[in-house]
Amino acid sequence: MSGASVKVAVRVRPFNSRETSKESKCIIQMQGNSTSIINPKNPKEAPKSFSFDYSYWSHTSPEDPCFASQNRVYNDIGKEMLLHAFEGYNVCIFAYGQTGAGKSYTMMGKQEESQAGIIPQLCEELFEKINDNCNEEMSYSVEVSYMEIYCERVRDLLNPKNKGNLRVREHPLLGPYVEDLSKLAVTSYTDIADLMDAGNKARTVAATNMNETSSRSHAVFTIVFTQKKHDNETNLSTEKVSKISLVDLAGSERADSTGAKGTRLKEGANINKSLTTLGKVISALAEVVSFILHYKGSCVYSANILGDILLLSVKVVLLWPFM
């Protein structure tokens, strides 16, 4: 599996207060990379098993020897993606799944010890590797952008004062891009952490019956990593550019479960519409022609932007937290 271009990981979280109060029972079992689901209506029926590249059991506490911590998830997924970025590849990680499943926690985490998610851990290690470089011929530059797609409107999270809808343009060679999206240079992890924090505060969230802090938008954090090497003997320079796309998708939801009405209902409809289109894009990944038709033929902004990330990334991880 180490050479695969696309990997799929699943993660099961602990019960939240709502599930605990209803005395819910866990119907998920994990052993190695295999995940089994028990039919709650017929527990005697043989569980249905599925194999993934990674199956993360995070349903219990850290004392459980099988517990998958934030660090373990990053070590398995984030480190490999960072290595590929240093090799010059475009990479992306998508967190995909139902609302309240733990996507934002897995990607961003919390500002507590050992609770950092994939994005902050990857950014921190990126600068650690840059600072450890002893080759005087090498130089590095890092630029970041952070946007959200909310009800098919694109917002710049690093410039939240701009309330307008950013335009999605089509470049004849480079494909879809977001016009006037901020791209800021950073020189340390502190710089990037401050921008992440500011962007997270500007992101659209709201409470539903299933999630008190439900993300109502798709968020895309992008790192453009440039490596320059100057050969003193020939006085020639080479440049290697990688794009690291880290995507926290809004969760799919059912209106009767979330209790959504009015604005929340409209948000949910837009989220489900874009995820349905993106699902077709993902399922067509194996058929390049079909894949291009799916996302090129879509008028859904999110499908064009997110589909383009998938198409241009050599290494992809689809991370599916669920419960």
Side-chain angles (χ1 to χ4, degrees):
M1 289 291 185
S2 60
S5 294
V6 179
K7 293 187 176 183
V8 180
V10 294
R11 188 181 192 188
V12 58
R13 61 159 174 77
F15 284 141
N16 57 28
S17 56
R18 171 178 167 271
E19 291 155 349
T20 302
S21 65
K22 290 187 173 184
E23 298 182 350
S24 302
K25 294 183 179 180
C26 182
I27 60 169
I28 305 296
Q29 297 175 342
M30 290 183 172
Q31 186 171 6
N33 293 334
S34 177
T35 297
S36 300
I37 302 177
I38 300 169
N39 183 351
K41 295 181 180 180
N42 186 7
K44 295 182 179 180
E45 182 182 307
K48 294 184 178 180
S49 297
F50 306 87
S51 293
F52 301 95
D53 293 286
Y54 301 104
S55 291
Y56 294 117
W57 177 258
S58 300
H59 182 66
T60 50
S61 64
E63 289 72 28
D64 183 347
C66 297
F67 182 81
S69 65
Q70 292 282 73
N71 286 339
R72 179 182 163 191
V73 174
Y74 172 72
N75 288 336
D76 286 345
I77 295 173
K79 281 184 178 290
E80 182 184 349
M81 292 297 105
L82 185 58
L83 174 62
H84 291 314
F86 269 89
E87 293 171 345
Y89 295 113
N90 289 346
V91 301
C92 71
I93 301 175
F94 273 73
Y96 186 96
Q98 182 177 307
T99 183
K103 298 179 297 300
S104 296
Y105 174 72
T106 298
M107 294 300 286
M108 277 294 180
K110 297 180 180 179
Q111 292 182 338
E112 300 172 12
E113 186 178 355
S114 302
Q115 297 296 308
I118 290 174
I119 297 177
Q121 290 192 69
L122 185 147
C123 293
E124 186 171 17
E125 187 170 3
L126 170 63
F127 281 101
E128 286 176 358
K129 286 181 175 290
I130 290 174
N131 294 332
D132 289 342
N133 173 60
C134 299
N135 188 346
E136 295 181 356
E137 294 183 344
M138 293 293 299
S139 63
Y140 303 91
S141 65
V142 180
E143 296 175 309
V144 300
S145 62
Y146 198 8
M147 66 177 174
E148 74 169 1
I149 306 170
Y150 170 70
C151 288
E152 294 308 310
R153 296 172 63 88
V154 182
R155 289 182 59 232
D156 188 346
L157 292 177
L158 299 184
N159 185 18
K161 292 182 180 179
N162 182 3
K163 299 293 184 181
N165 178 30
L166 299 184
R167 287 175 168 269
V168 178
R169 300 289 194 181
E170 181 84 20
H171 190 280
L173 296 177
L174 302 178
Y177 70 96
V178 180
E179 189 177 49
D180 298 327
L181 179 66
S182 300
K183 187 186 291 185
L184 305 181
V186 290
T187 58
S188 67
Y189 173 67
T190 302
D191 291 346
I192 211 168
D194 289 342
L195 291 176
M196 274 192 295
D197 187 51
N200 289 337
K201 289 177 180 177
R203 193 175 174 192
T204 305
V205 297
T208 69
N209 288 350
M210 291 186 68
N211 188 359
E212 292 180 357
T213 55
S214 174
S215 301
R216 312 308 291 167
S217 64
H218 306 310
V220 183
F221 189 84
T222 304
I223 304 168
V224 178
F225 176 46
T226 305
Q227 304 172 79
K228 297 179 182 178
K229 184 176 182 179
H230 182 77
D231 192 323
N232 293 323
E233 293 183 2
T234 62
N235 200 31
L236 296 175
S237 296
T238 58
E239 188 174 280
K240 190 160 53 177
V241 181
S242 309
K243 181 183 284 188
I244 306 170
S245 301
L246 305 164
V247 184
D248 178 16
L249 295 170
S252 59
E253 56 185 52
R254 296 172 61 182
D256 56 346
S257 298
T258 60
K261 297 179 181 178
T263 301
R264 299 288 89 81
L265 185 62
K266 180 183 176 182
E267 290 170 349
N270 276 288
I271 290 168
N272 289 342
K273 178 183 177 182
S274 64
L275 289 175
T276 299
T277 307
L278 182 63
K280 294 177 182 178
V281 171
I282 293 172
S283 65
L285 263 173
E287 300 291 339
V288 176
V289 174
S290 174
F291 171 66
I292 292 173
L293 288 176
H294 270 302
Y295 100 90
K296 287 289 187 184
S298 173
C299 62
V300 182
Y301 274 176
S302 51
N304 277 281
I305 296 169
L306 301 174
D308 187 62
I309 291 172
L310 284 169
L311 182 64
L312 297 180
S313 296
V314 177
K315 299 291 182 177
V316 179
V317 172
L318 301 174
L319 180 57
W320 184 22
F322 66 94
M323 172 46 74

